Amino acid sequence: MRIHHLNCGSMRPIAPTYEGLPTTPAVNHCLLAETDDGLVLVETGLGLADVRDAAGTLDTNWTAMVEPALKEEETAIRQVERLGFDPADVRHVIVTHLDVDHCGGLPDFPHAAVHVLAAELEAALREAPSVRYRPAHWAHGPQWRTYESTNDRWFGLDAIRPADLPGFVLVPLSGHSAGHTGVAVHNGDKWLLHCGDAYYYHRELDEAPEPHPVMDIVQTRSEVDHDERVGTQSALRTLARDHAAEVTLFSAHDPWEFGRLTG
């Protein structure tokens, strides 16, 4: 299938920890996949309502911390339209979790089925409104498709294969939120694994991991289970080392990973 990499919401500029890369805004890395059964959107980033009325949909502490650019042209719906598609062609949305910057665009695709781990949806409905979970993002009543644990495996990791999404695999990556998952999709050449917020900076996958000094503040403040998050990163480090020829990993907010994948 053809896959488009989209930045659906630039945020505050960040500097790399080593020379050779520019200071650049953090991103909300989303995927748009063209399938035989319509379009599949992996993550939505921020949506039209967030851009037009941030005070009404987003937490003020969150916006002060991450400094979102709030550009309408960066919303998923506007990018889908620029690619020549009707937003109604988006049949499915898969979210790694329901933090504001990962599902803010759900209201822009009201007819799409929304795939999420059951534990994540339960936590969002229970804890909202909060900094991370904002009820405006699901007030339209999404067509939720929820998933529990499974005995399936994908490159040694737990896996869930949605019946109506051939070619996609949910890979639970615990620690960041109550029901956080990665999303794997095969592009015809190799697997892409969207790791969501399981890690924030590409050097966290190095054998000698190096967190980003700014993004790690967000990462540690938002974790729900420190040991599980660290264990998840260790598993991803092993995957990146042992299966580099078969799987490309990337996170939701690292702008340099996004730059490599978009050329």
Side-chain angles (χ1 to χ4, degrees), residues 88-131:
D89 294 335
V90 176
R91 301 281 306 280
H92 301 272
V93 177
I94 311 172
V95 288
T96 63
H97 59 304
L98 291 168
D99 280 5
V100 296
D101 47 340
H102 297 260
C103 74
L106 287 181
D108 300 330
F109 305 97
H111 304 297
V114 180
H115 303 257
V116 63
L117 295 194
E120 183 68 15
L121 180 59
E122 291 166 5
L125 297 179
R126 180 178 65 249
E127 298 174 19
S130 63
V131 173

Side-chain angles (χ1 to χ4, degrees), residues 15-17 201 210-218:
T17 59
Y201 183 48
E210 177 190 358
H212 190 278
V214 174
M215 291 194 287
D216 196 48
I217 295 173
V218 180

Side-chain angles (χ1 to χ4, degrees), residues 105-181:
L106 287 181
D108 300 330
F109 305 97
H111 304 297
V114 180
H115 303 257
V116 63
L117 295 194
E120 183 68 15
L121 180 59
E122 291 166 5
L125 297 179
R126 180 178 65 249
E127 298 174 19
S130 63
V131 173
R132 73 188 316 165
Y133 298 133
R134 308 301 292 174
H137 294 152
W138 50 80
H140 62 290
Q143 302 173 44
W144 300 111
R145 306 272 180 90
T146 59
Y147 302 89
E148 306 284 351
S149 60
T150 176
N151 293 323
D152 204 347
R153 305 290 282 176
W154 180 85
F155 290 101
L157 301 175
D158 289 342
I160 301 166
R161 301 176 192 269
D164 51 353
L165 287 173
F168 290 85
V169 181
L170 305 185
V171 184
L173 301 173
S174 61
H176 175 71
S177 68
H180 184 276
T181 185

Side-chain angles (χ1 to χ4, degrees), residues 176-249:
H176 175 71
S177 68
H180 184 276
T181 185
V183 180
V185 57
H186 202 278
N187 66 3
D189 178 38
K190 63 189 302 186
W191 286 97
L192 300 175
L193 178 61
H194 193 311
C195 298
D197 286 355
Y199 73 96
Y200 276 59
Y201 183 48
H202 56 277
R203 281 202 162 185
E204 290 179 284
L205 296 184
D206 291 349
E207 288 301 311
E210 177 190 358
H212 190 278
V214 174
M215 291 194 287
D216 196 48
I217 295 173
V218 180
Q219 177 169 231
T220 54
R221 284 181 179 177
S222 58
E223 66 186 6
V224 298
D225 190 305
H226 176 76
D227 291 342
E228 286 190 2
R229 181 181 66 79
V230 172
T232 288
Q233 288 191 357
S234 178
L236 291 176
R237 208 169 290 124
T238 299
L239 177 65
R241 181 194 66 211
D242 294 348
H243 297 284
E246 302 158 280
V247 184
T248 295
L249 290 76

Side-chain angles (χ1 to χ4, degrees), residues 4-7 10 14 18 20-31 199-200 202 248-263:
H4 307 269
H5 293 266
L6 312 177
N7 170 22
S10 297
I14 53 176
Y18 57 99
L21 296 177
T23 296
T24 188
V27 300
N28 278 312
H29 194 156
C30 303
L31 300 178
Y199 73 96
Y200 276 59
H202 56 277
T248 295
L249 290 76
F250 59 93
S251 61
H253 303 302
D254 186 313
W256 304 288
E257 287 180 331
F258 182 79
R260 285 200 304 270
L261 288 166
T262 58

